[in-house]
Amino acid sequence: MRKILVAVMLVLLPVHGLSAAATAATTQTADQQIVVKKKQQAAADAKKAADAKKAAQARKAADARKVAAAKRAQRPGWACDGFLECLFQNQNKPRAGVQRASTRSSSTSKLASMDETTGQDIDWAPATKYAIGSIIVSTPERALYFVTGPGQARRYSVGVGREGFQWSGNSTIVSKAEWPTWRPPQEMIQREAAKGHMLPPEMAGGPENPLGARAMYIGGKIYRIHGTNSPGSIGTAASSGCIRMMNADVIELYGKVKIGARVYVYQ
């Protein structure tokens, strides 16, 4: 009997050895696959980061080109201030070779204002009432506050709705767009048509677009927070209800505001 047991053990030993070797090989292969997957993931992450950086640089370059184009467009010889004024006041465009005395100074002023920023970090006690990232527009102050912390905000000068177009309420930012297409609402088209001003059904984004460099759309409203091609309107009540910002300001705010951010507008 003992001899039989010894014989069986001698037979099983090589099989056990082969099984252990196979298990070790399988484990080694699995480890190698994990290493390969980690390297592939690292390479994918690096590519994603590089692509994001290139996209950000491309957007920055596009913004710079469009702002430069806007500056070139504001050359002396034009008496109107922005697309809508040019559209509605073509009779004020000077004849070829005729330079109005006031045009050069106003054009120079507009050129200087294209890159201006009005943003200031301030201590603002009312900020404690709102969540960080909220937007508060004070119509009487012609100011927009972006809450950055308890009692802290960044303040921007803005243009607000003219008399009859001012409003108040609260909502959220539901979408954002870079160099947005302008599609005037039907009521605006009809209202301006009655005055003899024919608005286009839509206008592609760019330096001459009334929405400027960026737009943030307010849920449940026809209004937006947007840039402008008429920087002289900042600090005034001139819009049809939208909140206007300097292009440099709206680009900065656009980068800070998240979809879903609360918006409060007070008269």
Side-chain angles (χ1 to χ4, degrees), residues 49-63 178 214:
D51 290 344
K53 184 177 180 180
K54 287 181 181 179
Q57 291 173 338
R59 287 195 298 271
K60 186 176 181 179
D63 287 342
E178 298 183 7
R214 300 286 188 273

Side-chain angles (χ1 to χ4, degrees), residues 105-130:
S105 61
S106 63
S107 177
T108 301
S109 174
K110 185 169 182 179
L111 283 174
S113 67
M114 290 302 294
D115 293 327
E116 282 183 10
T117 178
T118 68
Q120 292 182 325
D121 292 318
I122 63 171
D123 294 327
W124 192 54
T128 57
K129 302 176 183 178
Y130 305 97

Side-chain angles (χ1 to χ4, degrees), residues 4-169:
I4 294 173
L5 289 174
V6 171
V8 171
M9 291 178 64
L10 290 174
V11 171
L12 293 178
L13 279 174
V15 174
H16 176 73
L18 289 174
S19 176
T23 300
T26 301
T27 302
Q28 185 177 12
T29 301
D31 290 342
Q32 290 172 343
Q33 289 176 344
I34 291 173
V35 171
V36 170
K37 287 182 179 179
K38 286 184 177 180
K39 288 182 178 180
Q40 291 175 339
Q41 185 61 49
D45 291 343
K47 184 178 184 302
K48 185 177 180 180
D51 290 344
K53 184 177 180 180
K54 287 181 181 179
Q57 291 173 338
R59 287 195 298 271
K60 186 176 181 179
D63 287 342
R65 287 194 297 270
K66 289 185 177 182
V67 169
K71 288 183 177 182
R72 290 194 298 271
Q74 306 307 320
R75 60 188 181 279
W78 290 84
C80 54
D81 184 16
F83 169 78
L84 289 179
E85 289 187 34
C86 288
L87 179 66
F88 296 165
Q89 301 179 18
N90 283 335
Q91 68 272 20
N92 290 332
K93 181 180 176 181
R95 298 188 302 275
V98 177
Q99 175 67 56
R100 293 184 178 176
S102 62
T103 302
R104 184 175 299 276
S105 61
S106 63
S107 177
T108 301
S109 174
K110 185 169 182 179
L111 283 174
S113 67
M114 290 302 294
D115 293 327
E116 282 183 10
T117 178
T118 68
Q120 292 182 325
D121 292 318
I122 63 171
D123 294 327
W124 192 54
T128 57
K129 302 176 183 178
Y130 305 97
I132 294 174
S134 297
I135 295 171
I136 298 90
V137 176
S138 172
T139 299
E141 292 182 71
R142 313 289 195 261
L144 180 151
Y145 296 90
F146 177 72
V147 178
T148 56
Q152 301 291 317
R154 187 158 177 82
R155 184 188 190 279
Y156 301 92
S157 293
V158 298
V160 298
R162 60 185 181 273
E163 186 175 353
F165 291 88
Q166 294 180 1
W167 60 282
S168 61

Side-chain angles (χ1 to χ4, degrees), residues 187-262:
E187 54 266 36
M188 178 184 286
I189 293 176
Q190 294 173 349
R191 183 173 65 247
E192 297 303 330
K195 302 175 185 177
H197 307 150
M198 305 308 296
L199 297 182
E202 85 174 31
M203 183 179 185
E208 292 302 308
N209 190 303
L211 298 184
R214 300 286 188 273
M216 289 160 278
Y217 296 80
I218 302 173
K221 309 287 183 182
I222 62 171
Y223 306 119
R224 296 149 290 208
I225 299 170
H226 63 78
T228 183
N229 63 357
S230 182
S233 67
I234 301 303
T236 71
S239 79
S240 294
C242 287
I243 309 303
R244 297 182 184 177
M245 303 182 71
M246 298 292 267
N247 276 335
D249 286 342
V250 79
I251 289 173
E252 178 183 282
L253 184 64
Y254 182 96
K256 298 175 182 293
V257 171
K258 297 180 179 179
I259 300 296
R262 298 296 304 180

